[in-house]
Amino acid sequence: MQIRDLPYSDPGDPDVRSGPRFLYWLGRNQLGGQLKALGWGLLHQLGIAGLPVTVGLAVQAVVDRSGGRLALAGGLIVVLGVLIALGDTMLHRTAVTNWITAAARLQQLLARKTAELGSALTRRVAAGEVVAVSTGDVEKIGWFVEALSRFAAAATALVVICVGLVLYLPSLGLLVALAMPVLALAVLPLLPPATRRADEQREKAGKATELASDTVAGLRVLRGIGGEELFLGRYRRASQEVRRAAVRSARMWALISAVQVLLPGVLLISLVWYGATLAQEGRIGVGQLVTVYSAATLMLFPLRHFEEIAMAYSFSRPSAQRAVRVLSLRRSDREATVEGVVPAGDLYDPVTGLMAPRGQFTAVVCGDPDEAGRLAERLGGHAEPVEDARAKTTGAEDAEDGAAPPKGAAGPPSVLLGAVALDELPLDVARAAVLVQDKDPVLLSGTLRELLDVPSSGLVTADAALEAAQCGDVLSALAQASPDNGGDPMRTRITERGRSLSGGQRQRLALARSLVADPEALVLDEPTSAVDSHTEARVAAGIAKLRRGRTTVAFASSPLLLDAADRVVLVHEGTVVAVGDHRDLLRTEPRYRAVVTRETDEEAAVANAVDDTDQVPAMKSIQEIEERA
C-alpha cells in the first residue's frame, strides 16, 4: 500500500477484543510494508555493522604497511557508505509510509463507525474521548506500527553482530555477546511503572481535552450565566494535573535513558581495558581490538530502538484501548439479514407502542425531552446495547453487580417499518428508509449548495425544501454576504457548524437538508424549538404540505406544530397512553394538557378538581386553555 493509493477501498474488520490485539491486527494488515521496512532496516544496520571490520582492516594495513589492503579497505568503506545511505533513505521512506497508512486505516475505521452510529456515538462515548482518539491517539498508534519494523531490524542486526564477533574474536566477542542481552533487558523492570505513569498522563490529558471541548461547545451559555471563570478555573486545575503527570512520566523515561547510557559505558570501559591487556600480551592484534571496540560502539545505536519500541508501546497501548472502546460499539446486537430494498409501511416501535401510519404526519408529545431524544433514535434504528437494556429492565442493583448479560441475550425489539425490522436492514438502506434529525443538528462548512447536496430520492428540489423550511430570510442574508458570487446564496460559504448564523437559521437550514433527502420516514426532534411562533406556524404548514403522502414523525410540544399534524400521540413514562388530534387531547387528556400548556402542578390540580365537580366550568377553563395555547 502506497500513500498515493489512500484511502483504502475497505479498511477491514478490526480485532477489537483488546488494545494489544488491535495493534497486532493493524501490524498484520501491513505485513508487506513491514517486511519492506525490515529489509531496508537490515541493509542499513548491517552496513553500519560492517564499518568496524573495514576500519579494523585499514588500521591493520597501516600497521603492516600494506598499501593494497589499505586501498581495499578504503573501497569497502565507500561501498558500505553508499549502502548505508540507500538503506537509511529507503527505511525512512517505508517507515513513514507505514505510519501514514496505519493512521489512515484507523481514521477510516473511526469515520465508518461515526457514520454507522450517528449522533448516538456521543451519547455512548464522551465527545472529548472521540476527539482524543481521532487526533493524538491516531499519531501514537501509527508511531508504534512504524517503529515495529525498525526495532525488528535493529534486534536482528544485534544478533548478527554478536555472532560475528564471537566467530571473529572469541576472547572479546564472548564478552560483548554476553553483555548485549543484559543491556537490552536492563530496562524491563522500569517499564511497568513507566507505563503506569504514561497511562495516568494519557487519562488526565483525555479528561482535560473533554473538559476543554465541553467548555468551548457551551461557551455562549457560559457567557450568558457568567460561568466562564468557573470553567476556566476547572480547566487550569486539570491542565496542571496533566503537567504534573507528564513530569512524573518524563522522570521515569529519563531514568530509562540514563540506564541505557550508563551500562553501555561500563561495557565499553571494560572492553577497552581487557582488550588493551590482550593486545599488550600479543594475544590479539591492534586491528582486531579496533574492530571489536568499533563494533561495540556502533551497537549502541540499534540498542536505542529497544527504548523507542518500549516507549511507543507504552504510549500506544492506552491509545489503542481507547480506539477499541469506540470501534467496538455497534449499531445494534443484530446482523443485517434483509436484502437492500427500502421497505414501506407503518413505522412502529414495539417497546413504547408508538405507531406512525404510512403517509401521515404524526406528532409525538413526551413530558421528558431526554425520553423524546432516545425514542427518536430508536425510530431511526439505533437500538440500545444489550447491557443498557438489561440495566433498565433488571434494576440498578443488578447493574452494580457488573454481571454480564446471559449468553444469547438480545436487546430490545427493533423498530419495524412495514413488516421489516430496521436492525435487519443494511445500514445504507436503513438510513435511506428512516432519517432522524436531532434536536441540535450540525451544519458542515461549505457552500449552501454543498450543504443541500445529500443522497436523496430526487423528488424534492432544494428550492422547495428551502421554501417549506421558511428559509427566505436566510437566503437574503447569505446573498448579502456573497457580493463576489453575484449575490447567489447557493454559492455562499457557511462557516463551520454554521456559527455565522443564528440558532433559528441553522435549525431551518438543517430542516431543509432533511426535507431534500426525502426519506420514506422522516423523524424530527423539536424541529422548530429555536424559531418564533409566526415562523413556527409557517414551518409546520410547510412540512405538512411538502411531506404529504410520506411518513413524518415530529417530537414537539408546541401547539402550533401539534395542530398541523394528522394525529398526535402522547408518550408517558415510556408508553403510549393517548392518541388523537390536538384539540381532542386538550379536552380529554390532563397529562397531555399539562405538557402542552406548561401547567404547573397547582394549576393541574385545580383543573382536575373542576373537571370532577362541574362540567360547565370545566368547558370554560378548557376554552381558556385553548386560547392560551
Side-chain angles (χ1 to χ4, degrees):
M1 186 68 180
Q2 298 296 322
I3 296 176
R4 63 175 175 269
D5 299 323
L6 294 175
Y8 290 96
S9 57
D10 180 12
D13 187 16
D15 187 344
V16 294
R17 288 176 289 178
S18 67
R21 287 179 181 271
F22 176 72
L23 290 174
Y24 171 73
W25 175 86
L26 204 57
R28 188 186 64 196
N29 275 269
Q30 293 186 271
L31 188 59
Q34 295 289 346
L35 292 177
K36 287 181 182 179
L38 177 61
W40 291 116
L42 285 175
L43 178 63
H44 174 62
Q45 298 283 355
L46 295 179
I48 293 176
L51 287 177
V53 178
T54 55
V55 171
L57 290 175
V59 170
Q60 194 63 43
V62 172
V63 172
D64 297 338
R65 299 181 181 277
S66 173
R69 281 189 293 160
L70 181 61
L72 176 62
L76 290 175
I77 291 175
V78 172
V79 172
L80 289 176
V82 172
L83 294 178
I84 291 170
L86 177 63
D88 192 23
T89 301
M90 296 306 298
L91 172 62
H92 178 74
R93 180 185 179 90
T94 53
V96 170
T97 299
N98 288 338
W99 185 93
I100 293 177
T101 52
R105 186 187 296 272
L106 177 54
Q107 287 176 328
Q108 281 188 248
L109 291 172
L110 292 170
R112 186 174 70 182
K113 183 60 63 175
T114 302
E116 175 185 344
L117 296 176
S119 61
L121 175 63
T122 53
R123 282 197 285 273
R124 297 165 69 176
V125 179
E129 185 167 350
V130 177
V131 172
V133 171
S134 59
T135 53
D137 288 339
V138 168
E139 294 184 5
K140 294 178 179 63
I141 292 173
W143 175 28
F144 174 75
V145 173
E146 177 261 337
L148 194 59
S149 54
R150 291 191 288 109
F151 164 73
T156 304
L158 282 177
V159 172
V160 172
I161 293 172
C162 288
V163 172
L165 287 179
V166 170
L167 296 177
Y168 176 70
L169 191 62
S171 56
L172 292 180
L174 283 174
L175 175 62
V176 175
L178 293 175
M180 279 303 139
V182 177
L183 297 181
L185 303 177
V187 298
L188 284 183
L190 300 176
L191 288 180
T195 302
R196 285 195 298 272
R197 293 188 181 189
D199 290 348
E200 180 184 357
Q201 178 192 352
R202 300 273 77 74
E203 180 182 357
K204 290 184 180 298
K207 290 181 179 178
T209 301
E210 181 180 346
L211 179 60
S213 176
D214 293 343
T215 301
V216 171
L219 190 57
R220 180 176 298 179
V221 177
L222 291 176
R223 286 175 176 170
I225 63 176
E228 296 170 271
E229 287 302 322
L230 174 63
F231 276 80
L232 285 175
R234 290 181 180 178
Y235 182 74
R236 289 190 190 100
R237 289 192 293 273
S239 63
Q240 288 302 311
E241 290 181 4
V242 174
R243 181 188 61 79
R244 287 191 289 269
V247 170
R248 292 183 70 248
S249 178
R251 285 173 179 167
M252 185 57 67
W253 290 112
L255 178 59
I256 292 175
S257 298
V259 169
Q260 290 199 324
V261 171
L262 176 64
L263 294 183
V266 173
L267 170 64
L268 291 179
I269 293 173
S270 302
L271 189 64
V272 170
W273 175 79
Y274 183 56
T277 301
L278 295 178
Q280 285 181 343
E281 294 174 356
R283 296 166 60 182
I284 63 173
V286 175
Q288 291 177 312
L289 174 60
V290 171
T291 298
V292 175
Y293 175 77
S294 300
T297 303
L298 292 176
M299 287 172 73
L300 302 183
F301 175 70
L303 272 176
R304 284 288 180 183
H305 290 284
F306 284 78
E307 177 189 359
E308 182 188 10
I309 197 65
M311 290 183 65
Y313 180 73
S314 66
F315 279 87
S316 64
R317 186 179 60 81
S319 296
Q321 195 60 45
R322 276 197 293 269
V324 162
R325 260 198 308 272
V326 175
L327 296 176
S328 61
L329 297 175
R330 291 184 295 171
R331 172 185 166 216
S332 71
D333 299 296
R334 305 172 181 85
E335 297 294 333
T337 57
V338 180
E339 294 298 327
V341 178
V342 178
D346 300 337
L347 187 64
Y348 175 67
D349 176 27
V351 175
T352 60
L354 173 63
M355 168 74 77
R358 182 184 182 188
Q360 293 191 24
F361 183 7
T362 302
V364 182
V365 176
C366 293
D368 182 2
D370 293 334
E371 181 183 4
R374 290 191 295 269
L375 181 52
E377 287 299 322
R378 275 191 52 75
L379 291 179
H382 301 288
E384 295 173 325
V386 173
E387 294 79 0
D388 292 349
R390 178 177 177 273
K392 290 181 180 179
T393 56
T394 60
E397 183 176 346
D398 290 343
E400 290 176 359
D401 291 339
K407 188 175 181 179
S414 173
V415 169
L416 301 177
L417 183 60
V420 180
L422 289 183
D423 287 349
E424 297 176 359
L425 289 170
L427 179 61
D428 56 342
V429 178
R431 290 288 169 80
V434 182
L435 174 64
V436 179
Q437 177 176 302
D438 295 328
K439 184 182 303 183
D440 299 311
V442 175
L443 301 182
L444 302 179
S445 59
T447 64
L448 181 56
R449 179 174 287 107
E450 292 170 343
L451 175 70
L452 299 178
D453 184 16
V454 295
S456 66
S457 65
L459 300 178
V460 178
T461 64
D463 292 339
L466 290 168
E467 181 182 355
Q470 299 300 309
C471 295
D473 63 319
V474 184
L475 296 176
S476 299
L478 293 177
Q480 294 176 4
S482 57
D484 296 338
N485 297 329
D488 183 2
M490 301 299 290
R491 297 169 58 189
T492 303
R493 292 195 63 82
I494 298 173
T495 57
E496 181 185 1
R497 303 179 72 90
R499 298 187 187 281
S500 59
L501 304 172
S502 68
Q505 290 174 329
R506 288 196 299 269
Q507 192 174 57
R508 281 176 286 156
L509 283 180
L511 175 60
R513 179 178 59 187
S514 299
L515 293 174
V516 165
D518 190 35
E520 178 66 25
L522 176 61
V523 180
L524 305 171
D525 188 6
E526 294 288 354
T528 57
S529 60
V531 300
D532 60 80
S533 58
H534 297 288
T535 305
E536 183 178 26
R538 294 195 298 270
V539 169
I543 294 174
K545 179 181 178 181
L546 189 65
R547 293 286 300 172
R548 184 173 293 119
R550 290 287 203 181
T551 305
T552 307
V553 181
F555 288 83
S557 59
S558 168
L560 294 171
L561 193 146
L562 297 174
D563 198 39
D566 297 322
R567 66 199 300 269
V568 180
V569 178
L570 174 63
V571 177
H572 181 68
E573 294 183 351
T575 305
V576 172
V577 294
V579 179
D581 65 34
H582 169 59
R583 296 178 184 274
D584 288 342
L585 289 177
L586 271 179
R587 293 185 177 91
T588 60
E589 180 54 60
R591 288 171 294 188
Y592 178 84
R593 187 166 60 242
V595 174
V596 173
T597 63
R598 278 73 168 177
E599 280 183 345
T600 64
D601 293 339
E602 294 179 357
E603 291 174 336
V606 171
N608 291 335
V610 171
D611 287 341
D612 293 338
T613 58
D614 189 352
Q615 292 298 323
V616 176
M619 291 301 297
K620 182 179 179 181
S621 65
I622 290 174
Q623 291 174 359
E624 293 175 352
I625 290 172
E626 287 182 347
E627 292 175 358
R628 182 170 59 179

